[in-house]
Amino acid sequence: MPRRDIEFDAEGTTLRGWFYPAKMSSTRAPVIIMAHGFSAVKEMYLDEYAAAFAAAGLNALVFDNRNFGSSDGDPRYEIDPVQQIRDYRHAITYAGTLPEVDPTKVGVWGSSYSGGHVLAIGALDHRVGAVVSQVPLVSGYENFRSLVRSDFIGEFRRQFDNDRAARFRGESPAMVPVVAEDPQAPSALPTPDSWQWFIETHKNRAPSWRNEVTLRTVEMLSEYEPGVYAPRISPTPLLMLVAENDVLTPTELALATYQTAREPKKLVFLPGGHFDAYLRGFDKSMPPARDWFLDHLQS
């Protein structure tokens, strides 16, 4: 069966996405819940992963995060990581109502920002039977300091405070670009590979993506610490896929977080940088995730 459009309620906000029914399955099958990373929408290669999971006999439910893409939510282009975690959990609840889904066999997959989210979900939601965290953000504080020059941080803090005061007065949120061609220019993700991937993917696959987020999004990123949940995921099985040369969510931060996780766990290195997992490294990133879910959800 082909994928179908879906929508579900998340605390009064309608989230929308796709459901890929498991192929070669005559009974209820496991389901993989998927959402994208920082500001990205589902058309940015999540369809490739979901189709591969479905071809292997796993249902896949993909949705756009609130305030982005086809999902509702205001203010537009604002990312609250804690709310996004709650929305994954709403998606798990919704998936359990679908006739194709075995609600006792749920996997969560996340990449980049949502790679951090699934660490928290794996620790908090005991409906989850397996976790795959790809090129994850594990520490907003450390990530922020790795991307922003130390002499710029004070100015960012002043901007955060000014924006909070302006929003209190009823003014519109301040906005910043997600990426910029000049890595020294203000942006949320100031790396050259971020600029290249987002702009090319927007042009070729995802016209609904917008190159902006609220300034408060960056502040919330700097406060977000999903890596602290890693030791609490056990006994739920955890697979971490870490890029060898990740400069956006630094490799060494992900490795340090992996060391804190307890068994059962597995680490797979992906060649290249942060965004290679979606493109030339897809044949390296997808099979381990697929096999992890098959091993731990089909028994």
Side-chain angles (χ1 to χ4, degrees), residues 10-26:
E11 297 178 329
T13 297
T14 299
L15 305 184
R16 299 183 178 87
W18 301 316
F19 181 75
Y20 288 73
K23 296 181 180 179
M24 304 173 294
S25 177
S26 58

Side-chain angles (χ1 to χ4, degrees), residues 4-10 15-19 31 33 61-63 87-101 103 127:
R4 64 178 184 264
D5 293 339
I6 54 139
E7 62 178 45
F8 58 94
D9 177 69
L15 305 184
R16 299 183 178 87
W18 301 316
F19 181 75
V31 64
I33 308 298
L61 190 154
V62 182
F63 67 98
D87 289 340
Y88 257 93
R89 301 178 77 178
H90 293 312
I92 292 171
T93 301
Y94 167 71
T97 70
L98 300 177
E100 299 94 337
V101 170
R127 296 174 295 177

Side-chain angles (χ1 to χ4, degrees), residues 74-293:
D74 290 304
R76 297 302 288 176
Y77 314 114
E78 179 157 287
I79 306 171
D80 180 340
V82 175
Q83 184 62 67
Q84 289 188 348
I85 288 169
R86 294 193 186 106
D87 289 340
Y88 257 93
R89 301 178 77 178
H90 293 312
I92 292 171
T93 301
Y94 167 71
T97 70
L98 300 177
E100 299 94 337
V101 170
D102 182 342
T104 69
K105 296 181 178 181
V106 176
V108 290
W109 179 99
S111 187
S112 194
Y113 213 28
S114 64
H117 299 349
V118 297
L119 299 178
I121 296 159
L124 297 171
D125 198 316
H126 297 290
R127 296 174 295 177
V128 173
V131 177
V132 173
S133 174
Q134 176 175 287
V135 293
L137 178 137
V138 296
S139 170
Y141 174 80
E142 295 294 348
N143 223 108
F144 184 71
R145 296 190 69 86
S146 75
L147 294 176
V148 178
R149 277 176 39 180
S150 58
D151 55 330
F152 288 178
I153 291 177
E155 178 58 28
F156 262 107
R157 300 297 183 196
R158 284 188 287 274
Q159 291 179 27
F160 295 157
D161 292 342
N162 291 340
D163 179 56
R164 183 174 289 104
R167 293 172 74 140
F168 184 78
R169 295 192 297 268
E171 299 174 19
S172 297
M175 309 297 291
V176 295
V178 177
V179 293
E181 187 170 13
D182 178 1
Q184 296 299 315
S187 69
L189 305 178
T191 66
D193 60 341
S194 297
W195 164 262
Q196 181 179 4
W197 186 83
F198 273 101
I199 297 305
E200 290 182 358
T201 309
H202 165 56
K203 178 181 178 181
N204 297 328
R205 298 179 62 97
S208 69
W209 177 78
R210 292 279 296 274
N211 188 19
E212 61 178 347
V213 289
T214 64
L215 181 63
R216 185 164 69 172
T217 289
V218 180
E219 183 178 31
M220 286 189 282
L221 181 152
S222 72
E223 299 166 347
Y224 182 42
E225 297 294 326
V228 301
Y229 288 99
R232 309 177 200 173
I233 297 171
S234 178
T236 302
L238 167 66
L239 171 66
M240 284 186 65
L241 303 165
V242 178
E244 293 176 341
N245 298 299
D246 198 325
V247 297
L248 181 61
T249 57
T251 303
E252 61 271 19
L253 297 181
L255 293 179
T257 294
Y258 177 79
Q259 293 302 319
T260 70
R262 298 186 174 95
E263 299 289 347
K265 64 179 181 177
K266 183 178 180 180
L267 174 67
V268 172
F269 282 106
L270 303 178
H274 186 83
F275 297 98
D276 287 317
Y278 307 106
L279 295 167
R280 60 184 180 181
F282 178 78
D283 61 344
K284 302 293 185 182
S285 65
M286 186 280 294
R290 176 201 62 205
D291 294 347
W292 191 253
F293 287 133

Side-chain angles (χ1 to χ4, degrees), residues 26-90:
S26 58
T27 60
R28 290 190 167 197
V31 64
I32 313 305
I33 308 298
M34 309 172 61
H36 223 316
F38 192 93
S39 88
V41 294
K42 62 186 183 297
E43 290 83 2
M44 291 171 143
Y45 297 101
L46 290 198
D47 50 340
E48 302 286 343
Y49 287 93
F53 292 148
L58 301 162
N59 295 303
L61 190 154
V62 182
F63 67 98
D64 275 329
N65 289 302
R66 69 172 60 215
N67 309 335
F68 290 88
S70 60
S71 289
D72 292 347
D74 290 304
R76 297 302 288 176
Y77 314 114
E78 179 157 287
I79 306 171
D80 180 340
V82 175
Q83 184 62 67
Q84 289 188 348
I85 288 169
R86 294 193 186 106
D87 289 340
Y88 257 93
R89 301 178 77 178
H90 293 312

